[in-house]
Amino acid sequence: GAAAVDTATVAVGAVIIARDDIPEDDIYAFTSAIFENKDAISEQHDKGKELDLDFASSVTSVPYHPGAAKYFSEKGKTVASVKDGAGAGAGASRALSFGTGSDTGTYYAFGGVLSSYVSSNTSTAVTALTSGGSKANIEDLAADNVQLAFVQSDVMSYAYNGERLFDSAVTGFSVVAALYMEQVQIVTTNPDIKSVADLAGKSVSIGAQGSGVWFNAVDVLGAYGIDAETGIKPVYQSFGESTESLKDGKIDAAFIVAGAPTTA
């Protein structure tokens, strides 16, 4: 086969957030279990190798949960801000649900590894659930359907500030950690499509409306003067569905925003 060639693309951060009312001890246990056991976690999923305390503690757009800030501070890392009044939830720990993404994406695979590791090695029980991605996770978190969630850094900021698809600010959450960078990948089986500009008029999967994939597709297409609703034939599919559609020749290309390697 041809030699692999690096391709320049844009990337966003994969961030875990938590409801403000989750007790400090639970988030401390979750954060420390992950970062203290990088090697054991890396054996189960490659993304473990990318865990890095500097990157984890680098988020500036949303304040950190006190439980996470406490762990980072013990490691000599100062976060930009800590959420006032968060982590004060009294009472016994409850089992925590963790909203991830579609079952063929990196959020779900890695989220499952993290959840089972924390559950097995601390007194905090965490269960990873599949979901519709970033915007759905933030809505589920606000409704207390989940207590932890994966989100793209850009969508997290839109929610917190009430921008774009968020009619009003959603602020009842704080940051646990940034885990890795996820790449905006554009996949095609059509040899005539060599650049973003070539997607004009084509059938393109751009993720569920409001997912991080969708936001990134809208922005990347927009940079080339292509409207995501009218400049292409948009298809709103998960990564797994996009893979099948590409195989079957039903679509020309798909946006997949996920850390490599991506199951789909």
Side-chain angles (χ1 to χ4, degrees), residues 18-34 65-72 74 82 85-96 118-119 121-126 148 174 176:
R19 280 178 61 89
D20 289 341
D21 61 3
I22 303 307
E24 182 176 325
D25 289 350
D26 281 336
I27 299 301
Y28 177 84
F30 182 85
T31 313
S32 57
I34 291 170
H65 191 286
K70 177 184 171 188
Y71 172 72
F72 292 129
E74 285 174 4
V82 182
S93 301
R94 54 178 167 149
L96 304 177
V118 171
S119 298
N121 294 282
T122 74
S123 58
T124 299
V126 183
L148 290 158
S174 37
V176 176

Side-chain angles (χ1 to χ4, degrees), residues 64-108:
Y64 277 77
H65 191 286
K70 177 184 171 188
Y71 172 72
F72 292 129
S73 139
E74 285 174 4
K75 292 287 160 188
K77 308 293 176 195
T78 307
V79 298
S81 60
V82 182
K83 189 70 170 281
D84 200 28
S93 301
R94 54 178 167 149
L96 304 177
S97 294
F98 181 4
T100 61
S102 70
D103 60 5
T104 54
T106 309
Y107 280 179
Y108 181 63

Side-chain angles (χ1 to χ4, degrees), residues 38 42 46-52 55 179-181 260:
K38 188 176 157 172
S42 299
D46 270 351
K47 281 288 161 232
K49 297 173 186 155
E50 296 178 38
L51 295 173
D52 172 81
F55 182 61
L179 297 194
Y180 57 88
M181 292 302 286

